[in-house]
Amino acid sequence: MPFRDPVTAQIAAFVTEIGLEIRTVELTGENFLPGLRIEGSVILVDEAQLLYPGDILHEAGHLAVMTPEDRRTTGEHAGEDAGFEMAAIAWSYAAALHIGIDPLIVFHANGYKGGGANIVENFRKGQFFGVPLLQWMEMTAEPRQAEKLGRPPFPQMRKWLRDEPAQGDGQSL
């Protein structure tokens, strides 16, 4: 899975390190995002068509917040649920920080209906959304609840992949 672009390579290395699969392919037909498609639990990347390497990280976020069963059976419309979209956004922000890339690579000007920079600005100020879902999935904790829950505060993550459906502790959402 060699990528020419170093940022793409860095993102792909992280995504595979956490247990998701990326394959380099030549994509034909239309795709929701240029150069990317999800088939099953695999992220297919056509680097020649890929416009924004950060889109790989966001698509990985969609897979990461799914249960293992849902990951196995998903397709190209992995992010159609608004709640899970928010969780994937929060996840990809945390992942960008974790691997040391500028979050604006993920939240670029041509994505997020032009609001990528606003998302980053709000997250940098601690104005998070999607984090309650990540907390419910036991992947991280809202900063004000982290100590009580014994989990690292967002944007630190306890785990990068959701396992089984959250049991819920009555305090998570």
Side-chain angles (χ1 to χ4, degrees), residues 61-105:
H62 282 292
L63 292 173
V65 301
M66 293 178 177
T67 64
E69 177 62 27
D70 288 343
R71 273 195 295 277
R72 284 188 289 277
T73 60
T74 195
E76 65 179 297
H77 300 290
E80 291 187 336
D81 179 281
F84 285 99
E85 175 68 25
M86 291 190 295
I89 287 171
W91 183 97
S92 54
Y93 177 82
L97 295 180
H98 178 79
I99 64 175
I101 65 169
D102 186 335
L104 291 171
I105 291 171

Side-chain angles (χ1 to χ4, degrees), residues 14-21 71 161:
F14 168 74
V15 169
T16 57
E17 179 182 297
I18 65 167
L20 297 174
E21 185 178 351
R71 273 195 295 277
L161 292 180

Side-chain angles (χ1 to χ4, degrees), residues 119-139:
I119 292 170
V120 171
E121 181 181 339
N122 283 323
F123 275 45
R124 285 182 175 152
K125 292 178 180 177
Q127 299 168 346
F128 307 125
F129 60 83
V131 177
L133 278 172
L134 294 177
Q135 179 174 299
W136 177 72
M137 296 170 190
E138 301 176 356
M139 298 173 80

Side-chain angles (χ1 to χ4, degrees), residues 15-77:
V15 169
T16 57
E17 179 182 297
I18 65 167
L20 297 174
E21 185 178 351
I22 293 182
R23 287 190 203 142
T24 56
V25 297
E26 281 188 38
L27 293 172
T28 59
E30 287 196 34
N31 298 297
F32 179 70
L33 295 169
L36 285 176
R37 182 181 302 150
I38 294 177
E39 286 185 5
S41 61
V42 180
I43 301 170
L44 304 177
V45 180
D46 184 336
E47 190 172 16
Q49 294 181 37
L50 184 67
L51 297 180
Y52 306 102
D55 288 347
I56 297 170
L57 201 57
H58 180 73
E59 292 306 298
H62 282 292
L63 292 173
V65 301
M66 293 178 177
T67 64
E69 177 62 27
D70 288 343
R71 273 195 295 277
R72 284 188 289 277
T73 60
T74 195
E76 65 179 297
H77 300 290

